[in-house]
């Protein structure tokens, strides 16, 4: 996985410890534990969590999911499944985002 620098790039001067934890621990140590969960599976889990919370970070993680091998059909199924647990409006909005990212 590519070295993450978003924390330092966006928050390094303002919140240096948070930026360090984001880049080195979360995206460094946790995401690199591929023997426990593949990046693809971590992406599916992360997108599910962010969708249910309605978090803006979903866009970046959906792009990462695509890079990690999650297909359009899998993302559509994830959103459809979660619509009944998280709410129809969240799912509806997420489909617009998925269409942009997965190119349809």
């Amino acid at each position: 996985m590519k070295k993450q620098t978003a924390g330092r790039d966006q928050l390094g001067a303002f919140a240096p410890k948070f930026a360090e934890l984001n880049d080195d621990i979360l995206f460094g140590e946790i995401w690199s534990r591929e023997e426990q969960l593949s990046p693809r599976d971590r992406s599916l889990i992360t997108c599910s969590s962010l969708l249910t919370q309605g978090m803006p970070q979903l866009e970046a993680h959906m792009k990462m999911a695509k890079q990690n091998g999650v297909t359009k059909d899998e993302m559509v199924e994830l959103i459809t499944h979660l619509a009944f647990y998280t709410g129809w409006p969240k799912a509806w909005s997420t489909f617009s985002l998925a269409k942009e990212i997965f190119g349809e």
Side-chain angles (χ1 to χ4, degrees):
M1 180 174 212
K2 181 181 157 190
K3 171 97 171 115
Q4 179 65 259
T5 62
R8 286 181 177 88
D9 294 346
Q10 296 177 30
L11 294 172
F14 187 76
K17 186 61 177 180
F18 185 88
E20 174 190 341
L21 293 169
N22 182 80
D23 295 352
D24 299 343
I25 304 300
L26 175 58
F27 286 99
E29 293 181 27
I30 301 300
W31 273 85
S32 68
R33 295 169 43 93
E34 294 184 22
E35 289 183 25
Q36 290 76 13
L37 281 174
S38 70
R40 179 191 168 283
D41 291 346
R42 288 184 193 276
S43 285
L44 286 169
I45 292 164
T46 303
C47 285
S48 296
S49 177
L50 293 171
L51 187 162
T52 61
Q53 297 175 71
M55 299 302 293
Q57 292 85 356
L58 178 58
E59 180 176 1
H61 278 279
M62 198 177 285
K63 290 175 182 176
M64 188 185 306
K66 185 177 179 182
Q67 292 173 350
N68 287 335
V70 174
T71 67
K72 177 198 78 121
D73 291 341
E74 290 169 326
M75 189 58 67
V76 166
E77 189 61 26
L78 179 148
I79 298 165
T80 301
H81 181 79
L82 287 176
F84 292 91
Y85 293 94
T86 192
W88 209 257
K90 283 183 185 174
W92 190 271
S93 296
T94 302
F95 275 121
S96 296
L97 180 60
K99 284 174 67 175
E100 288 177 30
I101 292 169
F102 287 88
E104 294 187 26

